[in-house]
């Protein structure tokens, strides 16, 4: 009986030790820092399209390395709210700029990070993008990311707002640059 | 073996998938370059992909044991995620992996490292976690190939070459030959491939022809 009690205490002690080890080890923890993003700037302009981009930093401030399995943008511009443009959004890792819209799974060591370039392309349904964007509204964009690390995979999202004011300013600045 | 006559010739291919047969691919891309004295080597991860030996993390259902044991694998290891660990358990049996982990830990206590990978089975060492392979397989866990020696024999039979090998080589100067045709020395082939002529995955050269291997063997025997 005494032997069994000692054995039970040993097993319980081992379980507690493993639990403490895991709890202390922690996990990766990602954050897209949208309030530190750059202003949207005009990257390209044609008669019927305008392309804007911003850079958004991210960090793994957890205690373990983590993998960003997938990261993609989701814009919210329903036709009920604004029907003058078709919208396309995509993003890429700043340090490995891809143009195909594919996110390559990427290990982010603990305590490090990087940044993404988020690109938004508006195409005027009328054929004139300057006129189409005149009454543009604020547009929320979610950055959705899938994480694989020490714990089960999960999806998370961070929202930023591309404001109409910002679009107009970027458009005006871009047009001035083109005019020069 | 005298290596003065040896030449390593990487062969570029398109991205191969589970729809491909690796022997057909070698024939399609390299047939004209392969002679009777050559050894054809092929990257193990690409062989595994053509065999459909891969799984997405989302398709796995990690066990409690996998969730605990992965915590004892260093972060750089493919089994450090619960999905990599579960994949190893699916391939080798969860109790075998658990037992190997326990013995591995005890081994470390007495200064003997590497026991876990010796005891957990071949797949535990061969599994590549996500990011381990080039797109579009970067989001997959890729197992080691099945029957690598059989694959090597099939390549030799079809291409009429001196021999064939399925190799696991990386940029960290680590080379292992998982399967070879009869008569080839796997350690010798691994030594020849140590500088990773396959390049990194994005170079898309999963086949390397070791030209004149048979001649080198002949010269060494003289």
């Amino acid at each position: 009986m005494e032997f069994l009690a000692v054995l039970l205490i040993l097993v319980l002690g081992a379980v507690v030790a493993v639990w403490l080890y895991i709890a202390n080890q922690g996990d990766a923890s990602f954050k897209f820092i949208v309030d530190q993003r750059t202003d949207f700037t005009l990257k390209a302009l044609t008669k019927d399209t305008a392309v804007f981009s911003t850079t958004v930093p991210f960090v793994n401030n957890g205690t373990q390395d983590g993998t960003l399995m997938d990261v993609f943008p989701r814009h919210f511009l329903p036709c009920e709210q604004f029907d003058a443009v078709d919208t396309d959004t995509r993003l890429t890792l700043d340090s490995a700029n891809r143009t195909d819209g594919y996110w390559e799974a990427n290990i982010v060591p603990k305590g490090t990070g990087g940044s993404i370039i988020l690109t938004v392309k508006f195409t005027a349904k009328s054929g004139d993008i300057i006129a189409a964007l005149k009454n543009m509204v604020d547009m929320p964009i979610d950055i959705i990311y899938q994480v694989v690390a020490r714990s089960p995979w999960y999806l998370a999202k961070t929202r930023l707002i591309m404001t109409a004011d910002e679009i107009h300013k970027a458009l005006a600045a871009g047009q001035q640059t083109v005019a020069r | 073996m005298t290596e003065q006559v040896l030449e390593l010739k990487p062969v570029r291919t398109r991205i191969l998938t589970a729809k491909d047969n690796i022997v057909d691919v070698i024939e399609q891309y390299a047939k004209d370059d392969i002679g009777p004295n050559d050894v054809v080597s092929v990257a193990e991860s690409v062989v595994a992909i053509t065999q459909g030996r891969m799984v997405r993390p989302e398709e796995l259902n990690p066990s409690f044991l996998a969730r605990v044991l992965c915590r004892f694998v260093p972060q750089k290891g493919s089994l450090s995620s619960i999905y990599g660990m579960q994949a190893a358990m699916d391939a080798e049996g969860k109790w075998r992996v658990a037992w190997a982990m326990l013995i591995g830990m005890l081994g470390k206590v007495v200064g003997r490292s590497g026991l876990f990978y010796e005891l957990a089975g071949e797949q535990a060492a061969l599994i590549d976690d996500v990011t381990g392979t080039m797109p579009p397989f970067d989001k997959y866990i890729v197992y080691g190939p099945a029957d690598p020696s059989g694959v090597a024999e099939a390549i030799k039979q079809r291409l009429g070459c001196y021999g064939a090998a399925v190799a696991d080589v990386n940029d960290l100067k680590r080379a292992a030959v998982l399967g070879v045709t009869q008569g080839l020395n796997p350690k010798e082939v691994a030594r020849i491939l140590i500088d990773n002529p396959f390049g990194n995955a994005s170079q898309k050269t999963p086949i390397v022809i070791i030209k004149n291997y048979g001649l080198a063997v002949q010269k060494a025997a003289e």
Side-chain angles (χ1 to χ4, degrees):
Chain A
M1 196 65 185
E2 197 175 311
F3 172 75
L4 282 177
V6 170
L7 192 64
L8 186 66
I9 289 167
L10 283 175
V11 169
L12 283 175
V15 169
V16 170
V18 169
W19 181 80
L20 283 173
Y21 173 72
I22 290 173
N24 185 53
Q25 198 180 50
D27 208 345
S29 175
F30 284 95
K31 186 179 180 195
F32 280 80
I33 313 165
V34 292
D35 54 3
Q36 286 181 20
R37 73 171 172 86
T38 62
D39 291 336
F40 273 99
T41 54
L42 185 69
K43 290 293 168 188
L45 183 68
T46 66
K47 186 167 181 346
D48 62 341
T49 65
V51 180
F52 302 87
S53 81
T54 180
T55 302
V56 184
F58 66 84
V59 66
N60 171 10
N61 53 20
T63 54
Q64 297 284 292
D65 296 356
T67 299
L68 284 171
M69 265 272 283
D70 204 359
V71 185
F72 53 95
R74 179 83 175 93
H75 63 266
F76 297 92
L77 190 64
C79 62
E80 290 87 343
Q81 187 182 10
F82 191 73
D83 197 25
V85 293
D86 282 325
T87 308
D88 177 49
T89 48
R90 57 173 59 184
L91 58 76
T92 186
L93 193 62
D94 192 10
S95 60
N97 201 338
R98 298 181 68 111
T99 55
D100 56 2
Y102 186 88
W103 178 270
E104 189 171 346
N106 177 32
I107 297 172
V108 183
K110 64 181 176 183
T112 70
S115 54
I116 56 155
I117 299 170
L118 172 66
T119 304
V120 181
K121 180 181 181 182
F122 294 116
T123 304
K125 290 179 180 173
S126 65
D128 183 348
I129 192 63
I130 303 288
L133 286 176
K134 199 171 180 184
N135 296 314
M136 178 63 181
V137 296
D138 291 356
M139 183 175 77
I141 304 171
D142 280 354
I143 297 166
I144 303 171
Y145 51 102
Q146 183 186 15
V147 177
V148 173
R150 294 284 196 178
S151 50
W153 70 269
Y154 62 88
L155 285 168
K157 56 177 93 170
T158 302
R159 176 163 293 191
L160 64 85
I161 307 290
M162 183 185 195
T163 65
D165 187 42
E166 196 176 5
I167 291 168
H168 292 142
K169 278 183 186 162
L171 204 52
Q175 281 179 293
Q176 279 173 9
T177 306
V178 170
R180 277 192 223 122
Chain B
M1 177 190 289
T2 172
E3 293 184 19
Q4 286 162 344
V5 292
L6 288 181
E7 182 197 343
L8 300 180
K9 188 169 185 181
V11 177
R12 192 174 166 86
T13 69
R14 60 177 164 75
I15 292 282
L16 306 181
T17 71
K19 287 187 171 180
D20 290 301
N21 175 299
I22 192 67
V23 185
D24 291 345
V25 168
I26 294 170
E27 188 171 38
Q28 180 190 344
Y29 284 93
K31 188 181 179 184
D32 295 340
D33 292 327
I34 297 170
N37 283 307
D38 301 341
V39 166
V40 176
S41 61
V42 59
E44 61 94 16
S45 59
V46 174
V47 174
I49 286 167
T50 59
Q51 292 173 333
R53 292 178 57 77
M54 57 206 166
V55 64
R56 287 190 64 121
E58 298 91 330
E59 294 164 4
L60 291 172
N61 189 17
S63 61
F64 176 74
L65 204 53
R67 291 169 193 232
V68 173
L69 293 190
C70 75
R71 295 279 180 168
F72 294 93
V73 178
Q75 292 189 80
K76 304 294 177 207
S78 283
L79 308 193
S80 67
S81 83
I82 57 174
Y83 300 102
M85 180 59 77
Q86 185 60 46
M89 288 178 160
D90 288 348
E92 300 289 356
K94 74 174 180 178
W95 295 115
R96 178 179 183 176
V97 173
W99 177 247
M101 181 67 77
L102 181 64
I103 299 298
M105 284 175 184
L106 293 174
K108 277 198 175 154
V109 171
V110 296
R112 170 86 157 83
S113 58
L115 271 178
F116 171 70
Y117 288 102
E118 284 177 35
L119 298 173
E122 193 180 39
Q123 290 297 325
L126 292 178
I127 282 171
D128 282 326
D129 199 4
V130 290
T131 76
T133 317
M134 71 179 296
F137 303 109
D138 57 317
K139 299 179 200 304
Y140 285 83
I141 293 162
V142 179
Y143 294 94
D147 189 21
S149 292
V151 171
E153 291 292 352
I155 294 168
K156 180 181 175 178
Q157 207 168 24
R158 177 88 68 88
L159 280 305
C161 49
Y162 184 84
V166 176
D168 180 12
V169 187
N170 63 29
D171 287 333
L172 304 172
K173 295 265 181 191
R174 280 205 297 253
V177 169
L178 311 181
V180 287
T181 47
Q182 276 195 343
L184 277 190
N185 179 348
K187 284 188 179 164
E188 183 69 39
V189 176
R191 203 175 56 75
I192 292 167
L193 297 173
I194 193 72
D195 289 329
N196 194 12
F198 298 100
N200 60 47
S202 62
Q203 283 166 329
K204 291 191 273 188
T205 51
I207 305 160
V208 171
I209 307 168
I210 307 173
K211 300 290 294 177
N212 306 321
Y213 186 98
L215 290 177
V217 171
Q218 254 181 3
K219 280 197 173 182
E222 285 168 6

